[in-house]
Amino acid sequence: MTLRNRILVLLAAVAALAVVAVASVLHASARAEHRNETQPGGPRITAGQVSLTTPARMVFRNMAWGPHRDELTTVPAANPSGPRTASGLKCLRFYASSGTGVCLQAVHGTVTDTYRALILDAHLKEKAHYDVPGIPSRARVSPTGHFAAWTAFVGGDSYAGTNFSTRAAIVDTRTGRLIPTLESFRILKDGHVYHAADVNFWGVTFAADDRTFYATLATKGRTYLVRGDLSARTVTTLHTNVECPSLSPDGTRIAFKKRVKGLPKDAPWHLYVLDLRTMRETPLAEPRSVDDQVVWRDDGTIVYALPGDYGADLYEVPADGTGSARRISTAAVSPAFVR
């Protein structure tokens, strides 16, 4: 091939790549514009009042395309796929208990986004806000509503790999006292005080005594379930290979995602429930990999998100390993059940 022909081939390849790039940008732009348009066959959504104390409701982030995308919405807990009432408040992650909510938000800037955590009252009015040092990942409120927690990625953006760093914070919603990172707590591992530069915490879940919490601790390539003590400012390792724990309403079991050998590196988890008295693990009847901190709908059922056409859908499965998983709501994520 002559030099002239080589140059022509190169120019043709560059032109083809430019066409593909322009087409991709236009497609992404069109898709973004369509997100503000209600899609045929989607859930019926109307603006209205959303309360965190109305019993037998599920409150969650609406993912359906249209004018209420990303807003906190509510449905009857008995009919999670029914018509939705939208609040107008947008959150990336959300949780609530006893009339207190935590909403992790993006603050859009001219150059880059920043993030914050809003503490909400029962009517979704802001009581306080705190800077979040990275991309929001998990959120929880204690059963009493007296404490809230959140996790953010401060390096990397996925739990699937090993090259990430997280920051887990806890705030007293009554006094405003903030613990900006659990890395300030003393770690007790195998009966000894443990120090390591690579320690990460994520996925806080609270007990009902306003003192005890559970979380994931990662170090040296392994993960551990830890029990935390807010008064003593300690965390103690309990069990290995536990991520994103969620304490059952009766306080006896932890639902969690567990890395299972043989699964793909980008989808390595299955759901399990751990009995805190016996430390016996029960695999749940969900065959897919779940990257979520599950929520207990009641003492016998857990709810979690899986990828869907508009971001995520909600599923439920029995907590005793029986039955099968079923989808309960489309285009939804970050649920909280008002009991």
Side-chain angles (χ1 to χ4, degrees), residues 133 150 152 154 165-171 178-186 199-202 204 213 233 235:
W150 54 86
V154 294
S165 180
T166 58
R167 191 77 48 80
I170 296 177
V171 67
L178 176 69
I179 301 169
T181 174
L182 291 182
E183 293 172 27
S184 63
F185 278 39
R186 186 161 56 108
V199 165
N200 278 307
F201 290 95
W202 67 85
V204 174
F213 66 91
R233 294 179 68 88
V235 293

Short mmCIF file of all heavy atoms in Angstrom, two decimals, residues 133 150 152 154 165-171 178-186 199-202 204 213 233 235:
data_model
loop_
_atom_site.label_atom_id
_atom_site.label_comp_id
_atom_site.label_asym_id
_atom_site.label_seq_id
_atom_site.Cartn_x
_atom_site.Cartn_y
_atom_site.Cartn_z
N PRO A 133 -18.27 13.54 51.65
CA PRO A 133 -16.99 13.72 50.95
C PRO A 133 -16.81 12.88 49.69
O PRO A 133 -15.68 12.67 49.24
CB PRO A 133 -15.97 13.30 52.01
CG PRO A 133 -16.68 12.25 52.80
CD PRO A 133 -18.11 12.70 52.86
N TRP A 150 -24.47 7.37 56.88
CA TRP A 150 -24.33 7.31 55.43
C TRP A 150 -22.91 6.86 55.08
O TRP A 150 -21.99 7.01 55.87
CB TRP A 150 -24.65 8.64 54.76
CG TRP A 150 -23.89 9.81 55.28
CD1 TRP A 150 -22.65 10.26 54.90
CD2 TRP A 150 -24.32 10.73 56.30
NE1 TRP A 150 -22.29 11.38 55.59
CE2 TRP A 150 -23.30 11.69 56.46
CE3 TRP A 150 -25.47 10.83 57.09
CZ2 TRP A 150 -23.40 12.73 57.38
CZ3 TRP A 150 -25.58 11.86 57.99
CH2 TRP A 150 -24.55 12.80 58.13
N ALA A 152 -20.07 6.92 51.72
CA ALA A 152 -19.74 7.52 50.43
C ALA A 152 -18.45 6.92 49.90
O ALA A 152 -17.55 6.56 50.67
CB ALA A 152 -19.59 9.04 50.56
N VAL A 154 -15.04 7.62 48.44
CA VAL A 154 -14.09 8.74 48.32
C VAL A 154 -12.94 8.38 47.38
O VAL A 154 -12.08 9.20 47.11
CB VAL A 154 -13.54 9.15 49.70
CG1 VAL A 154 -14.65 9.72 50.56
CG2 VAL A 154 -12.87 7.96 50.41
N SER A 165 -12.22 3.28 48.14
CA SER A 165 -12.14 3.73 49.52
C SER A 165 -13.47 4.35 49.91
O SER A 165 -14.10 5.04 49.10
CB SER A 165 -11.01 4.76 49.68
OG SER A 165 -10.93 5.22 51.01
N THR A 166 -13.92 4.06 51.12
CA THR A 166 -15.22 4.56 51.58
C THR A 166 -15.06 5.36 52.87
O THR A 166 -14.06 5.24 53.58
CB THR A 166 -16.19 3.40 51.83
OG1 THR A 166 -15.61 2.52 52.81
CG2 THR A 166 -16.49 2.63 50.56
N ARG A 167 -16.07 6.16 53.15
CA ARG A 167 -16.13 6.91 54.40
C ARG A 167 -17.54 6.74 54.97
O ARG A 167 -18.52 7.06 54.30
CB ARG A 167 -15.84 8.38 54.14
CG ARG A 167 -15.63 9.26 55.36
CD ARG A 167 -14.27 9.09 55.99
NE ARG A 167 -13.18 9.14 55.03
CZ ARG A 167 -12.67 10.28 54.53
NH1 ARG A 167 -13.18 11.45 54.86
NH2 ARG A 167 -11.66 10.24 53.69
N ALA A 168 -17.63 6.21 56.18
CA ALA A 168 -18.92 6.01 56.84
C ALA A 168 -19.04 6.97 58.01
O ALA A 168 -18.14 7.05 58.86
CB ALA A 168 -19.06 4.57 57.33
N ALA A 169 -20.15 7.72 58.06
CA ALA A 169 -20.38 8.73 59.09
C ALA A 169 -21.66 8.43 59.84
O ALA A 169 -22.59 7.82 59.30
CB ALA A 169 -20.45 10.11 58.46
N ILE A 170 -21.72 8.87 61.10
CA ILE A 170 -22.92 8.74 61.93
C ILE A 170 -23.17 10.08 62.61
O ILE A 170 -22.23 10.72 63.10
CB ILE A 170 -22.76 7.64 63.01
CG1 ILE A 170 -22.60 6.27 62.35
CG2 ILE A 170 -23.95 7.64 63.97
CD1 ILE A 170 -22.37 5.13 63.35
N VAL A 171 -24.44 10.51 62.64
CA VAL A 171 -24.79 11.76 63.29
C VAL A 171 -25.92 11.53 64.28
O VAL A 171 -26.83 10.73 64.03
CB VAL A 171 -25.19 12.84 62.25
CG1 VAL A 171 -26.49 12.48 61.53
CG2 VAL A 171 -25.31 14.21 62.90
N LEU A 178 -21.63 15.01 65.03
CA LEU A 178 -21.26 14.19 63.88
C LEU A 178 -19.99 13.40 64.15
O LEU A 178 -19.00 13.95 64.65
CB LEU A 178 -21.04 15.09 62.65
CG LEU A 178 -20.56 14.41 61.37
CD1 LEU A 178 -21.64 13.51 60.79
CD2 LEU A 178 -20.12 15.46 60.35
N ILE A 179 -20.04 12.12 63.83
CA ILE A 179 -18.84 11.29 63.77
C ILE A 179 -18.52 11.17 62.29
O ILE A 179 -19.16 10.40 61.57
CB ILE A 179 -19.08 9.90 64.40
CG1 ILE A 179 -19.50 10.03 65.86
CG2 ILE A 179 -17.83 9.03 64.27
CD1 ILE A 179 -20.02 8.74 66.47
N PRO A 180 -17.56 11.93 61.76
CA PRO A 180 -17.36 12.00 60.30
C PRO A 180 -16.81 10.72 59.69
O PRO A 180 -16.98 10.49 58.50
CB PRO A 180 -16.39 13.16 60.12
CG PRO A 180 -15.71 13.29 61.44
CD PRO A 180 -16.68 12.87 62.48
N THR A 181 -16.17 9.88 60.49
CA THR A 181 -15.65 8.61 59.97
C THR A 181 -15.54 7.59 61.09
O THR A 181 -15.06 7.91 62.19
CB THR A 181 -14.29 8.79 59.28
OG1 THR A 181 -13.77 7.50 58.93
CG2 THR A 181 -13.29 9.51 60.17
N LEU A 182 -15.93 6.36 60.81
CA LEU A 182 -15.79 5.28 61.80
C LEU A 182 -14.34 4.85 61.96
O LEU A 182 -14.02 4.07 62.86
CB LEU A 182 -16.64 4.08 61.39
CG LEU A 182 -18.16 4.28 61.48
CD1 LEU A 182 -18.89 3.00 61.08
CD2 LEU A 182 -18.56 4.69 62.89
N GLU A 183 -13.47 5.36 61.12
CA GLU A 183 -12.05 5.03 61.25
C GLU A 183 -11.46 5.60 62.53
O GLU A 183 -10.33 5.23 62.91
CB GLU A 183 -11.29 5.53 60.02
CG GLU A 183 -11.67 4.78 58.75
CD GLU A 183 -11.06 5.40 57.50
OE1 GLU A 183 -9.99 6.02 57.60
OE2 GLU A 183 -11.67 5.25 56.42
N SER A 184 -12.18 6.49 63.20
CA SER A 184 -11.72 7.02 64.48
C SER A 184 -12.03 6.08 65.64
O SER A 184 -11.56 6.29 66.76
CB SER A 184 -12.36 8.39 64.74
OG SER A 184 -13.77 8.27 64.85
N PHE A 185 -12.84 5.03 65.40
CA PHE A 185 -13.19 4.08 66.45
C PHE A 185 -12.04 3.07 66.66
O PHE A 185 -11.29 2.76 65.73
CB PHE A 185 -14.47 3.32 66.11
CG PHE A 185 -15.73 4.07 66.42
CD1 PHE A 185 -15.83 5.43 66.21
CD2 PHE A 185 -16.84 3.41 66.92
CE1 PHE A 185 -16.99 6.13 66.49
CE2 PHE A 185 -18.00 4.09 67.21
CZ PHE A 185 -18.09 5.45 67.00
N ARG A 186 -11.95 2.55 67.88
CA ARG A 186 -10.97 1.50 68.18
C ARG A 186 -11.48 0.17 67.66
O ARG A 186 -12.62 -0.21 67.91
CB ARG A 186 -10.74 1.43 69.69
CG ARG A 186 -9.61 0.47 70.12
CD ARG A 186 -9.13 0.81 71.53
NE ARG A 186 -10.26 0.77 72.45
CZ ARG A 186 -10.46 -0.19 73.37
NH1 ARG A 186 -9.63 -1.20 73.47
NH2 ARG A 186 -11.49 -0.14 74.19
N VAL A 199 -7.92 0.29 56.30
CA VAL A 199 -9.25 0.04 56.86
C VAL A 199 -10.32 0.86 56.15
O VAL A 199 -10.14 2.06 55.93
CB VAL A 199 -9.25 0.34 58.37
CG1 VAL A 199 -10.67 0.45 58.91
CG2 VAL A 199 -8.48 -0.74 59.13
N ASN A 200 -11.42 0.21 55.79
CA ASN A 200 -12.60 0.87 55.23
C ASN A 200 -13.84 0.37 55.96
O ASN A 200 -13.93 -0.81 56.31
CB ASN A 200 -12.76 0.57 53.74
CG ASN A 200 -11.89 1.44 52.87
OD1 ASN A 200 -11.92 2.66 52.97
ND2 ASN A 200 -11.11 0.82 52.00
N PHE A 201 -14.81 1.26 56.15
CA PHE A 201 -16.11 0.89 56.73
C PHE A 201 -17.21 1.29 55.76
O PHE A 201 -17.11 2.31 55.07
CB PHE A 201 -16.35 1.62 58.06
CG PHE A 201 -15.48 1.17 59.19
CD1 PHE A 201 -14.30 1.83 59.49
CD2 PHE A 201 -15.85 0.08 59.97
CE1 PHE A 201 -13.50 1.42 60.54
CE2 PHE A 201 -15.06 -0.34 61.02
CZ PHE A 201 -13.88 0.33 61.31
N TRP A 202 -18.29 0.50 55.74
CA TRP A 202 -19.48 0.91 54.99
C TRP A 202 -20.69 0.11 55.48
O TRP A 202 -20.57 -0.88 56.20
CB TRP A 202 -19.29 0.74 53.49
CG TRP A 202 -19.15 -0.66 52.95
CD1 TRP A 202 -20.16 -1.52 52.61
CD2 TRP A 202 -17.93 -1.35 52.63
NE1 TRP A 202 -19.65 -2.70 52.10
CE2 TRP A 202 -18.29 -2.61 52.10
CE3 TRP A 202 -16.58 -1.02 52.73
CZ2 TRP A 202 -17.33 -3.55 51.69
CZ3 TRP A 202 -15.64 -1.94 52.32
CH2 TRP A 202 -16.02 -3.18 51.81
N VAL A 204 -23.67 0.89 57.45
CA VAL A 204 -24.10 0.90 58.85
C VAL A 204 -25.56 0.49 58.96
O VAL A 204 -26.39 0.86 58.13
CB VAL A 204 -23.90 2.30 59.48
CG1 VAL A 204 -24.47 2.37 60.89
CG2 VAL A 204 -22.41 2.66 59.48
N PHE A 213 -24.56 -0.71 66.83
CA PHE A 213 -24.75 -0.72 65.38
C PHE A 213 -23.88 -1.82 64.79
O PHE A 213 -23.00 -2.39 65.46
CB PHE A 213 -24.41 0.64 64.76
CG PHE A 213 -22.95 1.02 64.84
CD1 PHE A 213 -22.05 0.69 63.83
CD2 PHE A 213 -22.46 1.73 65.94
CE1 PHE A 213 -20.71 1.04 63.89
CE2 PHE A 213 -21.11 2.09 66.02
CZ PHE A 213 -20.24 1.74 64.99
N ARG A 233 -17.12 3.82 71.60
CA ARG A 233 -16.42 4.15 70.36
C ARG A 233 -15.48 3.01 69.95
O ARG A 233 -14.30 3.20 69.68
CB ARG A 233 -15.66 5.47 70.49
CG ARG A 233 -16.57 6.68 70.66
CD ARG A 233 -15.78 7.96 70.81
NE ARG A 233 -15.08 8.33 69.59
CZ ARG A 233 -15.60 9.06 68.61
NH1 ARG A 233 -16.84 9.50 68.70
NH2 ARG A 233 -14.87 9.35 67.55
N VAL A 235 -15.42 -0.93 67.64
CA VAL A 235 -16.05 -1.91 66.77
C VAL A 235 -15.33 -3.24 66.98
O VAL A 235 -14.11 -3.28 67.11
CB VAL A 235 -16.00 -1.49 65.28
CG1 VAL A 235 -16.85 -0.26 65.02
CG2 VAL A 235 -14.57 -1.27 64.80
#
